[in-house]
């Protein structure tokens, strides 16, 4: 059974977030930190802040879309309030 990861990265350069999904989290983080991803190459290095696992690709895509929304970002800030500097 394949796993899909919805993940949140934080830029160590400016604390901005990047939200995405993948079936290989380790390889995807390597891609982000090696400059092979255009959207994140200017804010390297990146560190994993949060991730969730799904066994269905469509569910992972829907969750990624939700986390990118205003309500999703509020959810993440509440979920990670002890981990973040708010």
């Amino acid at each position: 059974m394949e796993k899909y990861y919805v993940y949140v990265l934080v830029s160590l350069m400016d604390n901005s977030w990047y939200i995405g999904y993948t079936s290989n989290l380790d390889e995807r983080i390597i891609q982000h930190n090696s400059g092979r991803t255009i959207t994140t190459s200017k804010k390297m290095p990146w560190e994993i802040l949060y991730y969730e696992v799904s066994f269905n690709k469509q569910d992972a895509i829907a969750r990624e879309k939700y986390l990118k929304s205003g309500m999703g970002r509020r959810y993440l800030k509440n979920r990670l309030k002890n981990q973040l500097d708010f």
Side-chain angles (χ1 to χ4, degrees):
M1 181 174 286
E2 189 156 16
K3 295 179 187 176
Y4 297 91
Y5 301 88
V6 179
Y7 61 92
V8 180
L9 301 179
V10 62
S11 169
L12 299 181
M13 176 188 279
D14 67 359
N15 287 328
S16 62
W17 290 3
Y18 178 83
I19 300 169
Y21 87 94
T22 185
S23 61
N24 187 334
L25 186 57
D26 292 331
E27 177 60 29
R28 191 66 177 134
I29 293 170
I30 290 169
Q31 289 173 355
H32 284 296
N33 281 320
S34 67
R36 291 186 278 168
T37 304
I38 294 170
T39 55
T40 58
S41 63
K42 292 185 184 348
K43 296 186 178 185
M44 296 185 301
W46 293 91
E47 187 175 88
I48 189 81
L49 178 65
Y50 177 80
Y51 71 93
E52 299 176 357
V53 179
S54 178
F55 295 102
N56 181 280
K57 184 177 182 178
Q58 288 74 29
D59 289 344
I61 291 169
R63 186 65 174 165
E64 174 197 24
K65 185 176 179 180
Y66 171 74
L67 292 178
K68 287 181 175 181
S69 73
M71 286 186 66
R73 288 184 182 271
R74 278 192 295 279
Y75 164 81
L76 287 169
K77 286 180 182 179
N78 284 329
R79 174 73 174 84
L80 303 172
K81 66 183 168 190
N82 293 320
Q83 185 174 337
L84 302 173
D85 294 328
F86 290 105

